Amino acid sequence: MSSIRLADLAQQLDAELHGDGDIVISGIASMQSATTGQITFLANSRYREQLATIQASAVVLTEADLEWCKTAALVVKNPYLTYARMAQLLDTTPQPAQNIAPSAVIDATAKLGKNVSVGANAVIESGVELGDDVVIGAGCFVGKQTRIGRGSRLWANITIYHEIQIGQDCLIQSGTVIGADGFGYANDRGNWVKIPQLGTVVIGNRVEIGACTTIDRGALDNTLIGNGVIIDNQCQIAHNVVIGDNTAVAGGVIMAGSLKIGRYCMIGGASVINGHMEICDKVTVTGMGMVMRPITEPGVYSSGIPLQPNKTWRKTAALVMNIDEISKRLKAIERKVGKDD
């Protein structure tokens, strides 16, 4: 949608309109950069003084901030959530593909639902099933017997291996690989013997996967991604990982094999998580967390040392390197003090 009347926007967002409903909104911008014809939002009352100088035609805010507003306004309970929904309504991002490109290669046994689009040079192999309104971007490869549910969209140059299951209304960004072999080998007197990966990847509904992320197929059982999961760019999800519904995974996270992560978890960027263990529901791991043991209680978990000036860090590192010796000396002092008492 390129533009909308403010009154119509208020109705679609279930917002309370204050001001001229005939204002035409053609875009969204930050409070600092918004100009005439655009709408902005105030998600934090600490910045309400900026309302006096904004150039936007309208602003989304709460009832508590309305008296500081000098423009038309949409009053809601959660401005940031409303911003997300408003952005969806005003999104002008083009579709990954439209119609069936002449250069697309589609096997005769593939089943395509209604209104399916396949971009240039995409390859759809035998036995593939694409639901209604599925969009396959240019240069994608969809392997044999894969099923992709209604309304899912794949951007350009994505590789989906054989027998993968992707649910409805999923969005997968460019460069992602789903269903490659997991890292499975046996050792025969120093020589690595490959273990064929016989499982698959099953992805639920409303899952979003960022660019250049890899999700490996299972060794015997399947790699499972639950409904509503969001995964950022350049993540590695190894074979037989299970991620519960509505968990969020930030960029650069590495998950080892046979890890099970619960529902409603948040995994911070660049975290590394050991395999063959379980993380319970509602766990938050802050950025660069190194998770080596199971987590059985909901809460926020952190590891690593925050950034310090180099001179301070060098002292900290020196102390860490000598912590064993310091511990021995401390215990010796404690024993001596104990004897003196």
Side-chain angles (χ1 to χ4, degrees):
M1 184 183 298
S2 58
S3 62
I4 186 173
R5 291 176 61 248
L6 186 61
D8 296 331
L9 184 61
Q11 183 177 15
Q12 293 194 47
L13 296 173
D14 195 24
E16 182 181 290
L17 172 64
H18 290 259
D20 183 3
D22 287 329
I23 293 173
V24 176
I25 300 298
S26 57
I28 308 170
S30 67
M31 293 180 67
Q32 294 80 12
S33 62
T35 60
T36 301
Q38 295 180 316
I39 190 169
T40 189
F41 66 98
L42 175 65
N44 191 326
S45 294
R46 289 184 298 177
Y47 304 107
R48 61 169 50 140
E49 68 276 3
Q50 296 182 19
L51 292 172
T53 59
I54 62 171
Q55 301 299 309
S57 293
V59 59
V60 175
L61 39 64
T62 64
E63 182 71 36
D65 294 319
L66 181 61
E67 63 180 290
W68 280 269
C69 184
K70 307 301 181 183
T71 64
L74 301 183
V75 174
V76 299
K77 292 182 178 179
N78 187 334
Y80 195 73
L81 179 60
T82 300
Y83 154 63
R85 292 172 174 163
M86 183 167 60
Q88 291 180 358
L89 291 172
L90 294 170
D91 187 11
T92 57
T93 303
Q95 287 294 319
Q98 292 184 337
N99 305 314
I100 306 294
S103 60
V105 179
I106 303 175
D107 190 273
T109 63
K111 297 180 180 179
L112 277 58
K114 299 176 182 177
N115 197 35
V116 167
S117 296
V118 181
N121 299 316
V123 175
I124 311 296
E125 290 207 313
S126 62
V128 168
E129 295 184 17
L130 305 181
D132 295 347
D133 302 310
V134 165
V135 181
I136 307 295
C140 287
F141 173 88
V142 181
K144 295 177 181 180
Q145 306 299 325
T146 285
R147 292 185 292 172
I148 300 178
R150 174 183 54 78
S152 289
R153 292 174 292 157
L154 277 61
W155 277 94
N157 300 317
I158 291 168
T159 298
I160 309 294
Y161 277 62
H162 54 284
E163 299 176 2
I164 305 301
Q165 297 180 40
I166 298 174
Q168 299 178 4
D169 299 313
C170 295
L171 176 61
I172 304 175
Q173 302 290 346
S174 293
T176 287
V177 177
I178 297 176
D181 282 353
F183 196 60
Y185 298 85
N187 192 282
D188 179 16
R189 294 170 293 180
N191 296 311
W192 294 109
V193 179
K194 183 173 179 59
I195 300 172
Q197 304 292 281
L198 305 178
T200 187
V201 179
V202 178
I203 295 174
N205 301 323
R206 305 180 312 282
V207 172
E208 297 200 9
I209 302 172
C212 297
T213 280
T214 54
I215 303 177
D216 293 341
R217 67 193 314 110
L220 292 173
D221 297 325
N222 299 329
T223 302
L224 304 175
I225 311 297
N227 296 324
V229 170
I230 53 175
I231 302 171
D232 198 1
N233 301 338
Q234 296 177 331
C235 295
Q236 156 62 11
I237 299 173
H239 56 188
N240 299 108
V241 167
V242 176
I243 301 179
D245 294 349
N246 299 301
T247 282
V249 182
V253 169
I254 297 175
M255 298 182 184
S258 299
L259 167 70
K260 183 176 181 181
I261 297 180
R263 300 173 301 162
Y264 306 105
C265 293
M266 293 188 290
I267 310 299
S271 293
V272 178
I273 308 179
N274 201 7
H276 297 275
M277 66 180 195
E278 186 169 346
I279 295 175
C280 68
D281 297 345
K282 299 180 180 179
V283 165
T284 296
V285 176
T286 59
M288 296 189 73
M290 181 176 287
V291 186
M292 304 306 293
R293 295 180 179 86
I295 300 176
T296 58
E297 294 291 334
V300 179
Y301 295 81
S302 302
S303 66
I305 300 175
L307 187 71
Q308 302 171 330
N310 182 258
K311 289 183 179 180
T312 304
W313 175 83
R314 289 168 68 90
K315 292 178 181 179
T316 301
L319 287 171
V320 171
M321 295 297 291
N322 290 289
I323 196 167
D324 185 56
E325 179 63 27
I326 293 171
S327 176
K328 290 177 181 178
R329 291 167 59 186
L330 178 59
K331 289 178 180 178
I333 293 171
E334 288 174 339
R335 286 194 298 268
K336 188 174 188 298
V337 171
K339 288 179 180 179
D340 290 344
D341 290 343

